[in-house]
Amino acid sequence: MTGDQTLQVIAAVMMLTLVGSSLLSRRLALGQVARMIAGWLLIFAAVLVGYSYRFELNAVVQRVAGDLLGERGQTVGGTLRVPMAPDGHFWVRARINGHEQRFLIDSGATTTALSARTADAADLTVDRGGFPVLINTANGTVEAQRTRIERLTMGPIVAKDMAAVVSPAFGDMNVLGMNFLSSLESWRVEGRTLILVPHQPRV
């Protein structure tokens, strides 16, 4: 049993003890007590399951939120149109080696940057033995390691063998920088919409 599991069991036992003592002190009928205990058990079970699968649930919440906010973009005439989010940025859902993740498209970033969790989930090979890359962020300068993205897809756009950097200091943030934007045929902002134009296949 892990430390987290032990704490969960202890917390559940303590809560059940408190609830049981409270119910007994009220001298309720046995059947009513049993129903109330069963209800509390269901609540505790739901909380424990939610905590145990918090990362998976967070991914589901992000996916649903992305759909509601239009983060998958809209394919129009071979282009991908990404609406501006309420925070004033352009967010998009993309797949790295088949793994879907949320990205901020930032023309002010030179290089595409990935969180350590995203790199692990996409099974990327990170050059941990080489010299680190120094990246300037809003929170100061951080060290990152180099990697390459074999395949990144979003709507009609496919980017292959793209350089990126990885660092735990990025938290859960993933950024598509200028090295991604410059791989496109063109990109532009019209009003509150970012329009990404991929290279058209030659006939």
Side-chain angles (χ1 to χ4, degrees), residues 165-183:
V165 293
V166 178
S167 175
F170 298 152
D172 292 327
M173 177 70 74
N174 300 297
V175 177
L176 291 173
M178 276 304 300
N179 69 322
F180 163 73
L181 292 173
S182 61
S183 71

Side-chain angles (χ1 to χ4, degrees), residues 77-157:
T79 67
L80 184 67
R81 295 172 177 258
V82 182
M84 182 182 291
D87 62 4
H89 297 293
F90 294 104
W91 296 89
V92 69
R93 308 291 299 191
R95 288 184 174 273
I96 296 181
N97 299 344
H99 172 73
E100 184 177 283
Q101 191 54 264
R102 186 180 191 233
F103 287 85
L104 168 67
I105 300 179
D106 184 4
S107 60
T110 303
T111 306
T112 293
L114 306 174
S115 69
R117 183 176 298 172
T118 294
D120 289 340
D123 197 25
L124 298 181
T125 300
V126 180
D127 182 14
R128 303 187 187 280
F131 289 104
V133 181
L134 298 181
I135 304 294
N136 293 320
T137 70
N139 297 320
T141 302
V142 301
E143 292 186 352
Q145 284 74 42
R146 294 180 176 86
T147 188
R148 299 198 74 84
I149 299 172
E150 180 180 345
R151 182 182 177 89
L152 182 145
T153 60
M154 64 175 81
I157 297 172

